[in-house]
Amino acid sequence: MNTPPPPSAAVRTDGSPVRIGALVPLTRPGWVEAGRHLLAGLDLAVREVNDAGGIAGSPLELEVRDTAADPQRVAAAVEELHRLGAAAVVGEYHSVVARTAAARADALGLPFLCSSAVLDALTEGPTPWVARLAPAQSHGWRTYADFLLAAGHARIAVAVDPSVYWESGIRILREHLAPRGATVIELDMRELDPGAVCEALADHRATALLLLVGHPEPAVPLVERVRRDRRLDGVLIGAPAGQPEFSQWATLLGPLGAGVPFLRYLPERLGPLGARVGKALRERLAEEPSFVAFEGYDTVTVLAEALRSHGPDRARVAGSWPHVTVEGTRGRIRFSRTPGIGVWQWAWAPVQVVDRDPADPARFRIRHTG
């Protein structure tokens, strides 16, 4: 049984702020760069909503909580935001953490709009309380597998730090690649150092190595060792989870970090809204905004529309998911029920396979679109 919301979550008529909880990884071991971009997008959109008059005269107010990629920490944060009377919770980047946030939000009857986590099984079963903007992992990683096949790769090694997210990714790759004659070779990074990975790649005659590991450790030393092993000159290094998207990758690896394809959830060309928001995000971040920053902006855009049309009552916000249609930075956003996914899902955000151009590592090349 869902816990009823506190009185402060009811419809406001006095102009007091509408509180929104924001779950963001801002400290290690969370992916801090992703968290910074996500928060920049969330904050920019909140400021624009408030500059335009807020929600029926009430300003949006972000209550930011650092999740640090810790499921226990995020569970406590969701409980706290519930007690504070938040109308909804948004954000999160790490899939395992978002899954905990979704479970607590569902149990409490607190709407959760997930910005960036992709794990298909975000909840144990169907829930009316949770919606998601990021494409499901199965959708994006099948697109990545199609890219590998089109590039002629049939012996694909994966260097993996075992976790629910990485294991889900390996399963998706195997299920999609095996019927097409490709082999997935699993290399457990609990047992292997970068040198041993190079030996395994040579022994298995792998033509591609996918980094299903943390960043910067052990991803950076692994790239450095493979790139400098002349036996492996023809091996493609890939990172479907998006490690090369952020500037730290280029700073740490320089030219060695170029030519590593990853998944990015942006259209080939941004429309007028996306271009305007991209410019504003670039100024805020003092660097090129990642797709995660656009996900943050779109999150607040969607939630603001739900609040305007249905008010800040929690049950009404959750009830709005199948009815909200809004123009986001990356296309028109609407939610539906998707087979195998228990949350309301935008199906789908644009999907690209992108890498940093070896001729200019600051520039991205689109290698494949889904």
Side-chain angles (χ1 to χ4, degrees), residues 148-149 151-157 177 180-185 205-208:
L148 293 172
L149 291 168
H153 296 286
R155 297 185 64 77
I156 299 153
L177 292 169
R180 294 158 178 83
T183 301
V184 175
I185 303 149
R205 303 188 309 282
T207 64

Side-chain angles (χ1 to χ4, degrees), residues 99-354:
R99 189 171 63 165
T100 298
R104 291 309 304 141
D106 181 46
L108 294 167
L110 177 60
F112 173 37
L113 180 51
C114 182
S115 302
S116 198
V118 300
L119 192 69
D120 282 40
L122 200 58
T123 55
E124 291 296 326
T127 171
W129 294 100
V130 183
R132 175 168 56 188
L133 288 175
Q137 187 180 20
S138 58
H139 179 71
W141 285 48
R142 285 174 192 145
T143 299
Y144 196 92
D146 287 338
F147 158 73
L148 293 172
L149 291 168
H153 296 286
R155 297 185 64 77
I156 299 153
V158 294
V160 59
D161 279 332
S163 74
V164 171
Y165 175 64
W166 298 127
E167 289 162 8
S168 172
I170 293 171
R171 184 174 63 253
I172 292 163
L173 291 172
R174 281 206 169 105
E175 290 174 353
H176 197 70
L177 292 169
R180 294 158 178 83
T183 301
V184 175
I185 303 149
E186 190 169 343
L187 306 176
D188 190 337
M189 293 306 295
R190 293 174 300 183
E191 301 172 356
L192 302 174
D193 62 17
V197 169
C198 290
E199 294 301 323
L201 292 173
D203 291 345
H204 287 286
R205 303 188 309 282
T207 64
L209 170 66
L210 305 188
L211 305 175
L212 310 191
V213 295
H215 171 65
E217 297 286 341
V220 168
L222 191 50
V223 171
E224 291 173 332
R225 188 63 179 265
V226 172
R227 291 290 202 212
R228 289 174 174 142
D229 191 321
R230 296 280 68 86
R231 298 172 301 169
L232 307 175
D233 280 349
V235 173
L236 172 79
I237 301 176
Q243 295 93 322
E245 168 84 2
F246 299 96
S247 60
Q248 186 187 31
W249 176 274
T251 299
L252 294 175
L253 283 165
L256 294 178
V260 179
F262 62 93
L263 285 166
R264 182 170 74 167
Y265 307 127
L266 288 174
E268 187 171 353
R269 289 182 180 83
L270 292 167
L273 174 62
R276 179 184 66 76
V277 170
K279 182 176 183 293
L281 288 169
R282 197 172 298 110
E283 291 171 355
R284 280 172 167 257
L285 292 163
E287 62 183 5
E288 195 66 26
S290 70
F291 70 87
V292 181
F294 288 95
E295 287 177 325
Y297 185 93
D298 286 342
T299 299
V300 172
T301 300
V302 169
L303 185 58
E305 179 60 27
L307 291 165
R308 290 189 193 102
S309 59
H310 289 72
D313 175 80
R314 289 174 175 174
R316 291 179 181 175
V317 170
S320 74
W321 300 141
H323 307 294
V324 168
T325 300
V326 65
E327 192 65 32
T329 60
R330 299 162 299 144
R332 182 155 289 274
I333 300 169
R334 57 174 62 87
F335 299 108
S336 61
R337 288 297 190 185
T338 303
I341 296 171
V343 305
W344 287 101
Q345 176 72 53
W346 179 21
W348 301 99
V351 177
Q352 304 170 340
V353 179
V354 176

